[in-house]
Amino acid sequence: MEQMEKRDLTDSQKPTAPSPDYVLKIPYINEGFTRKVSSTVKKAGINARIVTQAGRSVKSLISEKTKKTCDCELCKSGNDCFTSHFVYQADCNTCGDQYIGASRRPLKNRLQEHESSLSLNNSRTTLGQHAAEHRKESNEIYRPKAGTRDFEKFLEFYNFNIVRKCKDTLETFINEGMLISTNKPKLNNMQSNGFTE
């Protein structure tokens, strides 16, 4: 009979749990971890609601800390070749002209395109084309190391620096546009703002 009476209670008649004093947000790892945190909080006498949220995995946090350092020319020049979502500035070592570009991809991928444009002597990228023009003026022969991208030789043409690291593609694009508008670099033209994926 008592069980029937309990079932017949309306929502307003049911006993309610006290409202939590705190909300504790923790990363979701697994159910066991969440239960252990909840149990520990209760044992400590803290009236808290435990909320799990998706986020970066523990593995990705560990991977970042233990990432191998690279010995490439980009890293030797003080630029991390794995950096992505960045705005960069390249000043020509021959004439002083400036270029501002950006990429959401790793730095080494973007510079491979510039170096390839130079080694193939085409106009695919502004920096590659500009360096190729100076190379023609000096009758210098550009011979990259066989089967590789010769960043060391490419960086002889430019004083290259990452000027802004950004959190996402939109921020990268906005920062690049602002820097181009402010600095008015001679090598940037109206057909291309230099931004690539």
Side-chain angles (χ1 to χ4, degrees), residues 7-8 18-19 24 29 54-55 60 63 88 109 113 124 126 129 164 177 184 186:
R7 285 185 196 154
D8 291 339
S19 177
L24 178 61
I29 296 174
S60 74
S63 297
Y88 61 96
N109 294 10
E113 293 170 348
R124 183 170 177 220
T126 302
Q129 181 181 9
R164 295 249 170 89
K184 298 183 182 13
K186 191 172 181 181

Side-chain angles (χ1 to χ4, degrees), residues 146-161:
T148 64
R149 294 290 178 220
D150 193 350
F151 291 129
E152 182 178 10
K153 186 69 175 167
F154 180 75
L155 291 172
E156 288 176 10
F157 288 98
Y158 297 101
N159 179 15
F160 183 90
N161 290 298

Side-chain angles (χ1 to χ4, degrees), residues 14-25:
K14 291 180 184 176
T16 58
S19 177
D21 296 328
Y22 303 97
V23 175
L24 178 61
K25 293 181 181 180

Side-chain angles (χ1 to χ4, degrees), residues 179-195:
L179 282 170
I180 290 172
S181 177
T182 302
N183 294 7
K184 298 183 182 13
K186 191 172 181 181
L187 293 178
N188 290 80
N189 60 42
M190 298 308 285
Q191 278 99 24
S192 169
N193 63 3
F195 187 82

Side-chain angles (χ1 to χ4, degrees), residues 72-92:
C72 74
E73 292 306 317
L74 291 172
C75 291
K76 286 179 185 176
S77 72
N79 295 294
D80 179 358
C81 70
F82 295 107
T83 298
S84 58
H85 292 106
F86 61 93
V87 180
Y88 61 96
Q89 177 178 318
D91 298 311
C92 179

Side-chain angles (χ1 to χ4, degrees), residues 56-68:
R56 297 179 68 186
S57 68
V58 173
K59 181 180 177 183
S60 74
L61 295 173
I62 293 169
S63 297
E64 270 187 25
K65 301 294 183 203
T66 60
K67 182 170 69 173
K68 292 191 289 185

Side-chain angles (χ1 to χ4, degrees), residues 127-187:
L127 289 182
Q129 181 181 9
H130 185 75
E133 288 168 3
H134 283 306
R135 188 185 69 226
K136 284 179 193 171
E137 292 169 4
S138 67
N139 292 322
E140 181 185 343
I141 298 172
Y142 179 74
R143 287 193 170 86
K145 296 173 186 172
T148 64
R149 294 290 178 220
D150 193 350
F151 291 129
E152 182 178 10
K153 186 69 175 167
F154 180 75
L155 291 172
E156 288 176 10
F157 288 98
Y158 297 101
N159 179 15
F160 183 90
N161 290 298
I162 293 175
V163 292
R164 295 249 170 89
K165 292 182 182 177
C166 306
K167 63 181 178 187
D168 57 30
T169 303
L170 180 61
E171 183 181 320
T172 304
F173 187 72
I174 290 170
N175 277 286
E176 180 199 23
M178 288 172 28
L179 282 170
I180 290 172
S181 177
T182 302
N183 294 7
K184 298 183 182 13
K186 191 172 181 181
L187 293 178

